[in-house]
Amino acid sequence: MTAHALAGALADDVRRRVFAAIALGATGTAQIAERAGVPAREAVTALRRLAAAGLVVDAGGVVTLDEARLRELARTPHPTRPAASREETVLHTFVRDGVLVGLPAQRGRRRIVLEHIAQRSFATDTPYPESAVNDALRPWCADGGSDHVTLRRYLVDELLLTREQGVYHRP
């Protein structure tokens, strides 16, 4: 079980209250429901989910915390993820599911986002009429993080697209 899964198991208010009642000594379903202040039916559902997550053990009607499992979870080292690059961090912040959620105000960050959009939207050395550029940029703006005209202007300003006589190219 990961820390994320543990947090998920205890994210529900009823499960958290049932878990706390067990931790404070309640052992039977009726006693757990009473101490947690929840209906018995909700307590039973919460107990099932806590048992499935490996946090509690029901041994013949006596419910206890699975202390060995909890100790094991506490001692399990957290997997280390390599630090994300600056580009990944910026893109994760401003682009979600292929949609621009906002344009960074800082030029360096904005450049990273614009390069990402240009690389995924336009082939190099291919001519694009303005209508095709607009059509390629509109999906990026679906969440209202920006509009396609502003995005097109920034791409030209940053020389990620060039414009000659109404025809655009990605150099």
Side-chain angles (χ1 to χ4, degrees), residues 87-88 91 95 97-99 111-124 128 132-133 135-137 139-140 155 160-161 170:
E87 290 79 14
E88 289 172 341
L91 291 174
V95 178
D97 297 324
V99 177
R111 173 78 186 197
I112 291 168
V113 171
L114 293 171
E115 286 175 354
H116 176 78
I117 292 170
Q119 289 172 358
R120 279 157 185 73
S121 301
F122 306 104
T124 56
Y128 294 96
V133 172
D135 291 343
L137 295 178
W140 290 99
L155 288 166
L160 296 168
L161 284 180
R170 182 175 153 230

PDB file of all heavy atoms in Angstrom, residues 87-88 91 95 97-99 111-124 128 132-133 135-137 139-140 155 160-161 170:
ATOM      1  N   GLU A  87      11.293  22.291 -17.351  1.00  0.00           N
ATOM      2  CA  GLU A  87      10.306  22.251 -18.427  1.00  0.00           C
ATOM      3  C   GLU A  87       9.087  21.420 -18.014  1.00  0.00           C
ATOM      4  O   GLU A  87       7.949  21.828 -18.232  1.00  0.00           O
ATOM      5  CB  GLU A  87      10.918  21.685 -19.723  1.00  0.00           C
ATOM      6  CG  GLU A  87      11.915  22.599 -20.390  1.00  0.00           C
ATOM      7  CD  GLU A  87      13.308  22.596 -19.747  1.00  0.00           C
ATOM      8  OE1 GLU A  87      13.598  21.674 -18.930  1.00  0.00           O
ATOM      9  OE2 GLU A  87      14.081  23.509 -20.023  1.00  0.00           O
ATOM     10  N   GLU A  88       9.340  20.246 -17.433  1.00  0.00           N
ATOM     11  CA  GLU A  88       8.235  19.394 -17.011  1.00  0.00           C
ATOM     12  C   GLU A  88       7.378  20.090 -15.962  1.00  0.00           C
ATOM     13  O   GLU A  88       6.154  20.004 -15.996  1.00  0.00           O
ATOM     14  CB  GLU A  88       8.759  18.079 -16.446  1.00  0.00           C
ATOM     15  CG  GLU A  88       9.343  17.150 -17.476  1.00  0.00           C
ATOM     16  CD  GLU A  88      10.028  15.953 -16.840  1.00  0.00           C
ATOM     17  OE1 GLU A  88      10.373  15.997 -15.640  1.00  0.00           O
ATOM     18  OE2 GLU A  88      10.221  14.959 -17.545  1.00  0.00           O
ATOM     19  N   LEU A  91       5.319  22.859 -17.706  1.00  0.00           N
ATOM     20  CA  LEU A  91       4.252  22.285 -18.523  1.00  0.00           C
ATOM     21  C   LEU A  91       3.156  21.671 -17.660  1.00  0.00           C
ATOM     22  O   LEU A  91       1.970  21.797 -17.969  1.00  0.00           O
ATOM     23  CB  LEU A  91       4.817  21.260 -19.503  1.00  0.00           C
ATOM     24  CG  LEU A  91       5.681  21.840 -20.615  1.00  0.00           C
ATOM     25  CD1 LEU A  91       6.309  20.731 -21.445  1.00  0.00           C
ATOM     26  CD2 LEU A  91       4.887  22.793 -21.492  1.00  0.00           C
ATOM     27  N   VAL A  95      -0.229  23.357 -18.670  1.00  0.00           N
ATOM     28  CA  VAL A  95      -0.889  22.556 -19.706  1.00  0.00           C
ATOM     29  C   VAL A  95      -1.443  21.298 -19.049  1.00  0.00           C
ATOM     30  O   VAL A  95      -0.709  20.545 -18.427  1.00  0.00           O
ATOM     31  CB  VAL A  95       0.098  22.167 -20.830  1.00  0.00           C
ATOM     32  CG1 VAL A  95      -0.589  21.288 -21.875  1.00  0.00           C
ATOM     33  CG2 VAL A  95       0.692  23.401 -21.485  1.00  0.00           C
ATOM     34  N   ASP A  97      -3.964  17.960 -19.886  1.00  0.00           N
ATOM     35  CA  ASP A  97      -4.696  17.154 -20.871  1.00  0.00           C
ATOM     36  C   ASP A  97      -4.700  17.806 -22.245  1.00  0.00           C
ATOM     37  O   ASP A  97      -5.719  17.831 -22.930  1.00  0.00           O
ATOM     38  CB  ASP A  97      -6.134  16.918 -20.402  1.00  0.00           C
ATOM     39  CG  ASP A  97      -6.196  16.134 -19.108  1.00  0.00           C
ATOM     40  OD1 ASP A  97      -5.346  15.235 -18.929  1.00  0.00           O
ATOM     41  OD2 ASP A  97      -7.078  16.406 -18.276  1.00  0.00           O
ATOM     42  N   GLY A  98      -3.563  18.363 -22.636  1.00  0.00           N
ATOM     43  CA  GLY A  98      -3.439  18.963 -23.959  1.00  0.00           C
ATOM     44  C   GLY A  98      -4.144  20.290 -24.106  1.00  0.00           C
ATOM     45  O   GLY A  98      -4.380  20.754 -25.219  1.00  0.00           O
ATOM     46  N   VAL A  99      -4.494  20.906 -22.984  1.00  0.00           N
ATOM     47  CA  VAL A  99      -5.185  22.189 -23.010  1.00  0.00           C
ATOM     48  C   VAL A  99      -4.429  23.181 -22.146  1.00  0.00           C
ATOM     49  O   VAL A  99      -3.971  22.863 -21.047  1.00  0.00           O
ATOM     50  CB  VAL A  99      -6.640  22.043 -22.491  1.00  0.00           C
ATOM     51  CG1 VAL A  99      -7.344  23.382 -22.451  1.00  0.00           C
ATOM     52  CG2 VAL A  99      -7.411  21.069 -23.353  1.00  0.00           C
ATOM     53  N   ARG A 111       7.932  30.952 -22.745  1.00  0.00           N
ATOM     54  CA  ARG A 111       8.662  30.406 -23.892  1.00  0.00           C
ATOM     55  C   ARG A 111       8.605  28.874 -23.890  1.00  0.00           C
ATOM     56  O   ARG A 111       8.433  28.246 -24.935  1.00  0.00           O
ATOM     57  CB  ARG A 111      10.115  30.918 -23.857  1.00  0.00           C
ATOM     58  CG  ARG A 111      11.051  30.329 -24.877  1.00  0.00           C
ATOM     59  CD  ARG A 111      10.877  30.927 -26.222  1.00  0.00           C
ATOM     60  NE  ARG A 111      11.713  30.222 -27.212  1.00  0.00           N
ATOM     61  CZ  ARG A 111      12.021  30.695 -28.376  1.00  0.00           C
ATOM     62  NH1 ARG A 111      11.583  31.879 -28.735  1.00  0.00           N
ATOM     63  NH2 ARG A 111      12.746  29.997 -29.192  1.00  0.00           N
ATOM     64  N   ILE A 112       8.752  28.259 -22.730  1.00  0.00           N
ATOM     65  CA  ILE A 112       8.680  26.796 -22.618  1.00  0.00           C
ATOM     66  C   ILE A 112       7.315  26.299 -23.079  1.00  0.00           C
ATOM     67  O   ILE A 112       7.209  25.337 -23.843  1.00  0.00           O
ATOM     68  CB  ILE A 112       8.971  26.350 -21.166  1.00  0.00           C
ATOM     69  CG1 ILE A 112      10.438  26.613 -20.814  1.00  0.00           C
ATOM     70  CG2 ILE A 112       8.594  24.887 -20.947  1.00  0.00           C
ATOM     71  CD1 ILE A 112      10.767  26.479 -19.345  1.00  0.00           C
ATOM     72  N   VAL A 113       6.251  26.951 -22.635  1.00  0.00           N
ATOM     73  CA  VAL A 113       4.897  26.550 -23.013  1.00  0.00           C
ATOM     74  C   VAL A 113       4.684  26.753 -24.508  1.00  0.00           C
ATOM     75  O   VAL A 113       4.136  25.881 -25.196  1.00  0.00           O
ATOM     76  CB  VAL A 113       3.854  27.342 -22.185  1.00  0.00           C
ATOM     77  CG1 VAL A 113       2.443  27.105 -22.707  1.00  0.00           C
ATOM     78  CG2 VAL A 113       3.943  26.966 -20.712  1.00  0.00           C
ATOM     79  N   LEU A 114       5.144  27.872 -25.031  1.00  0.00           N
ATOM     80  CA  LEU A 114       4.969  28.163 -26.457  1.00  0.00           C
ATOM     81  C   LEU A 114       5.744  27.174 -27.329  1.00  0.00           C
ATOM     82  O   LEU A 114       5.243  26.738 -28.371  1.00  0.00           O
ATOM     83  CB  LEU A 114       5.385  29.599 -26.764  1.00  0.00           C
ATOM     84  CG  LEU A 114       4.484  30.683 -26.149  1.00  0.00           C
ATOM     85  CD1 LEU A 114       5.114  32.057 -26.327  1.00  0.00           C
ATOM     86  CD2 LEU A 114       3.092  30.636 -26.743  1.00  0.00           C
ATOM     87  N   GLU A 115       6.963  26.817 -26.923  1.00  0.00           N
ATOM     88  CA  GLU A 115       7.731  25.823 -27.679  1.00  0.00           C
ATOM     89  C   GLU A 115       6.998  24.489 -27.715  1.00  0.00           C
ATOM     90  O   GLU A 115       6.952  23.814 -28.735  1.00  0.00           O
ATOM     91  CB  GLU A 115       9.126  25.650 -27.071  1.00  0.00           C
ATOM     92  CG  GLU A 115      10.065  26.800 -27.360  1.00  0.00           C
ATOM     93  CD  GLU A 115      11.412  26.663 -26.643  1.00  0.00           C
ATOM     94  OE1 GLU A 115      11.585  25.727 -25.827  1.00  0.00           O
ATOM     95  OE2 GLU A 115      12.277  27.510 -26.905  1.00  0.00           O
ATOM     96  N   HIS A 116       6.436  24.118 -26.594  1.00  0.00           N
ATOM     97  CA  HIS A 116       5.675  22.874 -26.496  1.00  0.00           C
ATOM     98  C   HIS A 116       4.494  22.891 -27.479  1.00  0.00           C
ATOM     99  O   HIS A 116       4.264  21.931 -28.219  1.00  0.00           O
ATOM    100  CB  HIS A 116       5.177  22.702 -25.055  1.00  0.00           C
ATOM    101  CG  HIS A 116       4.299  21.531 -24.823  1.00  0.00           C
ATOM    102  ND1 HIS A 116       4.775  20.249 -24.707  1.00  0.00           N
ATOM    103  CD2 HIS A 116       2.949  21.435 -24.698  1.00  0.00           C
ATOM    104  CE1 HIS A 116       3.759  19.412 -24.506  1.00  0.00           C
ATOM    105  NE2 HIS A 116       2.649  20.118 -24.500  1.00  0.00           N
ATOM    106  N   ILE A 117       3.764  23.978 -27.486  1.00  0.00           N
ATOM    107  CA  ILE A 117       2.603  24.104 -28.370  1.00  0.00           C
ATOM    108  C   ILE A 117       3.039  24.096 -29.833  1.00  0.00           C
ATOM    109  O   ILE A 117       2.435  23.411 -30.661  1.00  0.00           O
ATOM    110  CB  ILE A 117       1.802  25.374 -28.024  1.00  0.00           C
ATOM    111  CG1 ILE A 117       1.143  25.204 -26.652  1.00  0.00           C
ATOM    112  CG2 ILE A 117       0.765  25.691 -29.098  1.00  0.00           C
ATOM    113  CD1 ILE A 117       0.518  26.452 -26.087  1.00  0.00           C
ATOM    114  N   ALA A 118       4.090  24.840 -30.146  1.00  0.00           N
ATOM    115  CA  ALA A 118       4.557  24.911 -31.544  1.00  0.00           C
ATOM    116  C   ALA A 118       5.007  23.536 -32.033  1.00  0.00           C
ATOM    117  O   ALA A 118       4.674  23.132 -33.157  1.00  0.00           O
ATOM    118  CB  ALA A 118       5.701  25.920 -31.658  1.00  0.00           C
ATOM    119  N   GLN A 119       5.737  22.801 -31.205  1.00  0.00           N
ATOM    120  CA  GLN A 119       6.234  21.482 -31.610  1.00  0.00           C
ATOM    121  C   GLN A 119       5.108  20.493 -31.841  1.00  0.00           C
ATOM    122  O   GLN A 119       5.190  19.635 -32.720  1.00  0.00           O
ATOM    123  CB  GLN A 119       7.197  20.935 -30.554  1.00  0.00           C
ATOM    124  CG  GLN A 119       8.507  21.662 -30.509  1.00  0.00           C
ATOM    125  CD  GLN A 119       9.358  21.232 -29.322  1.00  0.00           C
ATOM    126  OE1 GLN A 119       8.948  20.411 -28.506  1.00  0.00           O
ATOM    127  NE2 GLN A 119      10.548  21.804 -29.221  1.00  0.00           N
ATOM    128  N   ARG A 120       4.048  20.593 -31.065  1.00  0.00           N
ATOM    129  CA  ARG A 120       2.960  19.634 -31.188  1.00  0.00           C
ATOM    130  C   ARG A 120       1.892  20.052 -32.199  1.00  0.00           C
ATOM    131  O   ARG A 120       1.068  19.235 -32.576  1.00  0.00           O
ATOM    132  CB  ARG A 120       2.327  19.391 -29.824  1.00  0.00           C
ATOM    133  CG  ARG A 120       3.170  18.388 -29.066  1.00  0.00           C
ATOM    134  CD  ARG A 120       3.012  18.463 -27.586  1.00  0.00           C
ATOM    135  NE  ARG A 120       3.912  17.562 -26.908  1.00  0.00           N
ATOM    136  CZ  ARG A 120       5.216  17.721 -26.778  1.00  0.00           C
ATOM    137  NH1 ARG A 120       5.805  18.751 -27.327  1.00  0.00           N
ATOM    138  NH2 ARG A 120       5.968  16.873 -26.122  1.00  0.00           N
ATOM    139  N   SER A 121       1.920  21.293 -32.603  1.00  0.00           N
ATOM    140  CA  SER A 121       0.864  21.779 -33.498  1.00  0.00           C
ATOM    141  C   SER A 121       1.305  21.971 -34.942  1.00  0.00           C
ATOM    142  O   SER A 121       0.466  21.934 -35.836  1.00  0.00           O
ATOM    143  CB  SER A 121       0.314  23.104 -32.973  1.00  0.00           C
ATOM    144  OG  SER A 121      -0.214  22.944 -31.680  1.00  0.00           O
ATOM    145  N   PHE A 122       2.609  22.192 -35.154  1.00  0.00           N
ATOM    146  CA  PHE A 122       3.063  22.564 -36.494  1.00  0.00           C
ATOM    147  C   PHE A 122       4.316  21.795 -36.893  1.00  0.00           C
ATOM    148  O   PHE A 122       5.246  21.667 -36.099  1.00  0.00           O
ATOM    149  CB  PHE A 122       3.360  24.069 -36.559  1.00  0.00           C
ATOM    150  CG  PHE A 122       2.207  24.914 -36.102  1.00  0.00           C
ATOM    151  CD1 PHE A 122       2.220  25.513 -34.850  1.00  0.00           C
ATOM    152  CD2 PHE A 122       1.096  25.081 -36.911  1.00  0.00           C
ATOM    153  CE1 PHE A 122       1.146  26.271 -34.417  1.00  0.00           C
ATOM    154  CE2 PHE A 122       0.022  25.850 -36.479  1.00  0.00           C
ATOM    155  CZ  PHE A 122       0.039  26.443 -35.232  1.00  0.00           C
ATOM    156  N   ALA A 123       4.320  21.312 -38.126  1.00  0.00           N
ATOM    157  CA  ALA A 123       5.507  20.652 -38.678  1.00  0.00           C
ATOM    158  C   ALA A 123       6.467  21.731 -39.170  1.00  0.00           C
ATOM    159  O   ALA A 123       6.041  22.825 -39.557  1.00  0.00           O
ATOM    160  CB  ALA A 123       5.113  19.738 -39.831  1.00  0.00           C
ATOM    161  N   THR A 124       7.744  21.433 -39.147  1.00  0.00           N
ATOM    162  CA  THR A 124       8.715  22.414 -39.626  1.00  0.00           C
ATOM    163  C   THR A 124       8.638  22.540 -41.138  1.00  0.00           C
ATOM    164  O   THR A 124       8.344  21.573 -41.846  1.00  0.00           O
ATOM    165  CB  THR A 124      10.158  22.014 -39.211  1.00  0.00           C
ATOM    166  OG1 THR A 124      10.410  20.708 -39.711  1.00  0.00           O
ATOM    167  CG2 THR A 124      10.335  22.047 -37.713  1.00  0.00           C
ATOM    168  N   TYR A 128       1.390  27.223 -43.596  1.00  0.00           N
ATOM    169  CA  TYR A 128       0.062  27.178 -42.994  1.00  0.00           C
ATOM    170  C   TYR A 128      -0.646  28.497 -43.252  1.00  0.00           C
ATOM    171  O   TYR A 128      -0.128  29.556 -42.883  1.00  0.00           O
ATOM    172  CB  TYR A 128       0.156  26.979 -41.471  1.00  0.00           C
ATOM    173  CG  TYR A 128       0.729  25.653 -41.048  1.00  0.00           C
ATOM    174  CD1 TYR A 128       2.074  25.523 -40.742  1.00  0.00           C
ATOM    175  CD2 TYR A 128      -0.090  24.533 -40.946  1.00  0.00           C
ATOM    176  CE1 TYR A 128       2.605  24.307 -40.346  1.00  0.00           C
ATOM    177  CE2 TYR A 128       0.442  23.309 -40.541  1.00  0.00           C
ATOM    178  CZ  TYR A 128       1.784  23.205 -40.243  1.00  0.00           C
ATOM    179  OH  TYR A 128       2.296  22.008 -39.852  1.00  0.00           O
ATOM    180  N   ALA A 132      -5.615  27.856 -40.859  1.00  0.00           N
ATOM    181  CA  ALA A 132      -5.102  26.574 -40.355  1.00  0.00           C
ATOM    182  C   ALA A 132      -4.381  26.768 -39.026  1.00  0.00           C
ATOM    183  O   ALA A 132      -4.475  25.915 -38.132  1.00  0.00           O
ATOM    184  CB  ALA A 132      -4.170  25.938 -41.385  1.00  0.00           C
ATOM    185  N   VAL A 133      -3.664  27.877 -38.890  1.00  0.00           N
ATOM    186  CA  VAL A 133      -2.984  28.182 -37.620  1.00  0.00           C
ATOM    187  C   VAL A 133      -4.032  28.369 -36.527  1.00  0.00           C
ATOM    188  O   VAL A 133      -3.910  27.814 -35.428  1.00  0.00           O
ATOM    189  CB  VAL A 133      -2.085  29.435 -37.754  1.00  0.00           C
ATOM    190  CG1 VAL A 133      -1.533  29.854 -36.403  1.00  0.00           C
ATOM    191  CG2 VAL A 133      -0.957  29.173 -38.740  1.00  0.00           C
ATOM    192  N   ASP A 135      -7.076  27.180 -36.445  1.00  0.00           N
ATOM    193  CA  ASP A 135      -7.700  25.878 -36.163  1.00  0.00           C
ATOM    194  C   ASP A 135      -6.799  25.002 -35.295  1.00  0.00           C
ATOM    195  O   ASP A 135      -7.282  24.256 -34.441  1.00  0.00           O
ATOM    196  CB  ASP A 135      -8.031  25.146 -37.460  1.00  0.00           C
ATOM    197  CG  ASP A 135      -9.163  25.812 -38.236  1.00  0.00           C
ATOM    198  OD1 ASP A 135      -9.901  26.626 -37.635  1.00  0.00           O
ATOM    199  OD2 ASP A 135      -9.297  25.516 -39.441  1.00  0.00           O
ATOM    200  N   ALA A 136      -5.487  25.081 -35.504  1.00  0.00           N
ATOM    201  CA  ALA A 136      -4.546  24.282 -34.709  1.00  0.00           C
ATOM    202  C   ALA A 136      -4.433  24.803 -33.278  1.00  0.00           C
ATOM    203  O   ALA A 136      -4.176  24.030 -32.349  1.00  0.00           O
ATOM    204  CB  ALA A 136      -3.176  24.277 -35.379  1.00  0.00           C
ATOM    205  N   LEU A 137      -4.618  26.111 -33.097  1.00  0.00           N
ATOM    206  CA  LEU A 137      -4.439  26.709 -31.771  1.00  0.00           C
ATOM    207  C   LEU A 137      -5.718  26.707 -30.927  1.00  0.00           C
ATOM    208  O   LEU A 137      -5.631  26.732 -29.695  1.00  0.00           O
ATOM    209  CB  LEU A 137      -3.903  28.137 -31.903  1.00  0.00           C
ATOM    210  CG  LEU A 137      -2.502  28.248 -32.501  1.00  0.00           C
ATOM    211  CD1 LEU A 137      -2.105  29.718 -32.631  1.00  0.00           C
ATOM    212  CD2 LEU A 137      -1.478  27.483 -31.680  1.00  0.00           C
ATOM    213  N   PRO A 139      -7.925  24.355 -30.063  1.00  0.00           N
ATOM    214  CA  PRO A 139      -8.046  23.311 -29.024  1.00  0.00           C
ATOM    215  C   PRO A 139      -7.184  23.580 -27.789  1.00  0.00           C
ATOM    216  O   PRO A 139      -7.544  23.184 -26.683  1.00  0.00           O
ATOM    217  CB  PRO A 139      -7.596  22.032 -29.740  1.00  0.00           C
ATOM    218  CG  PRO A 139      -7.806  22.309 -31.182  1.00  0.00           C
ATOM    219  CD  PRO A 139      -7.569  23.775 -31.357  1.00  0.00           C
ATOM    220  N   TRP A 140      -6.058  24.246 -27.972  1.00  0.00           N
ATOM    221  CA  TRP A 140      -5.203  24.575 -26.829  1.00  0.00           C
ATOM    222  C   TRP A 140      -5.896  25.563 -25.895  1.00  0.00           C
ATOM    223  O   TRP A 140      -5.573  25.643 -24.720  1.00  0.00           O
ATOM    224  CB  TRP A 140      -3.874  25.163 -27.292  1.00  0.00           C
ATOM    225  CG  TRP A 140      -2.981  24.184 -27.954  1.00  0.00           C
ATOM    226  CD1 TRP A 140      -2.802  23.991 -29.289  1.00  0.00           C
ATOM    227  CD2 TRP A 140      -2.115  23.243 -27.311  1.00  0.00           C
ATOM    228  NE1 TRP A 140      -1.888  22.995 -29.524  1.00  0.00           N
ATOM    229  CE2 TRP A 140      -1.448  22.515 -28.319  1.00  0.00           C
ATOM    230  CE3 TRP A 140      -1.839  22.941 -25.978  1.00  0.00           C
ATOM    231  CZ2 TRP A 140      -0.531  21.505 -28.031  1.00  0.00           C
ATOM    232  CZ3 TRP A 140      -0.922  21.937 -25.697  1.00  0.00           C
ATOM    233  CH2 TRP A 140      -0.284  21.232 -26.712  1.00  0.00           C
ATOM    234  N   LEU A 155       3.512  33.276 -30.457  1.00  0.00           N
ATOM    235  CA  LEU A 155       4.338  32.363 -31.251  1.00  0.00           C
ATOM    236  C   LEU A 155       5.141  33.129 -32.300  1.00  0.00           C
ATOM    237  O   LEU A 155       6.311  32.825 -32.540  1.00  0.00           O
ATOM    238  CB  LEU A 155       3.469  31.289 -31.912  1.00  0.00           C
ATOM    239  CG  LEU A 155       2.899  30.234 -30.966  1.00  0.00           C
ATOM    240  CD1 LEU A 155       1.801  29.436 -31.655  1.00  0.00           C
ATOM    241  CD2 LEU A 155       3.992  29.325 -30.438  1.00  0.00           C
ATOM    242  N   LEU A 160       8.768  31.471 -33.040  1.00  0.00           N
ATOM    243  CA  LEU A 160       8.464  30.055 -33.131  1.00  0.00           C
ATOM    244  C   LEU A 160       7.606  29.779 -34.363  1.00  0.00           C
ATOM    245  O   LEU A 160       7.518  28.646 -34.834  1.00  0.00           O
ATOM    246  CB  LEU A 160       7.767  29.576 -31.860  1.00  0.00           C
ATOM    247  CG  LEU A 160       8.652  29.673 -30.605  1.00  0.00           C
ATOM    248  CD1 LEU A 160       7.826  29.464 -29.352  1.00  0.00           C
ATOM    249  CD2 LEU A 160       9.799  28.693 -30.687  1.00  0.00           C
ATOM    250  N   LEU A 161       6.968  30.833 -34.865  1.00  0.00           N
ATOM    251  CA  LEU A 161       6.283  30.822 -36.155  1.00  0.00           C
ATOM    252  C   LEU A 161       6.707  32.091 -36.886  1.00  0.00           C
ATOM    253  O   LEU A 161       6.863  33.143 -36.260  1.00  0.00           O
ATOM    254  CB  LEU A 161       4.758  30.853 -35.998  1.00  0.00           C
ATOM    255  CG  LEU A 161       4.021  29.592 -35.571  1.00  0.00           C
ATOM    256  CD1 LEU A 161       2.517  29.863 -35.495  1.00  0.00           C
ATOM    257  CD2 LEU A 161       4.289  28.431 -36.496  1.00  0.00           C
ATOM    258  N   ARG A 170       6.766  27.143 -39.397  1.00  0.00           N
ATOM    259  CA  ARG A 170       7.553  26.873 -38.182  1.00  0.00           C
ATOM    260  C   ARG A 170       8.969  26.630 -38.648  1.00  0.00           C
ATOM    261  O   ARG A 170       9.231  25.651 -39.333  1.00  0.00           O
ATOM    262  CB  ARG A 170       7.024  25.666 -37.434  1.00  0.00           C
ATOM    263  CG  ARG A 170       7.815  25.422 -36.166  1.00  0.00           C
ATOM    264  CD  ARG A 170       7.232  24.298 -35.333  1.00  0.00           C
ATOM    265  NE  ARG A 170       8.327  23.728 -34.573  1.00  0.00           N
ATOM    266  CZ  ARG A 170       8.619  22.458 -34.505  1.00  0.00           C
ATOM    267  NH1 ARG A 170       7.865  21.580 -35.089  1.00  0.00           N
ATOM    268  NH2 ARG A 170       9.663  22.047 -33.828  1.00  0.00           N
TER     269      ARG A 170
END
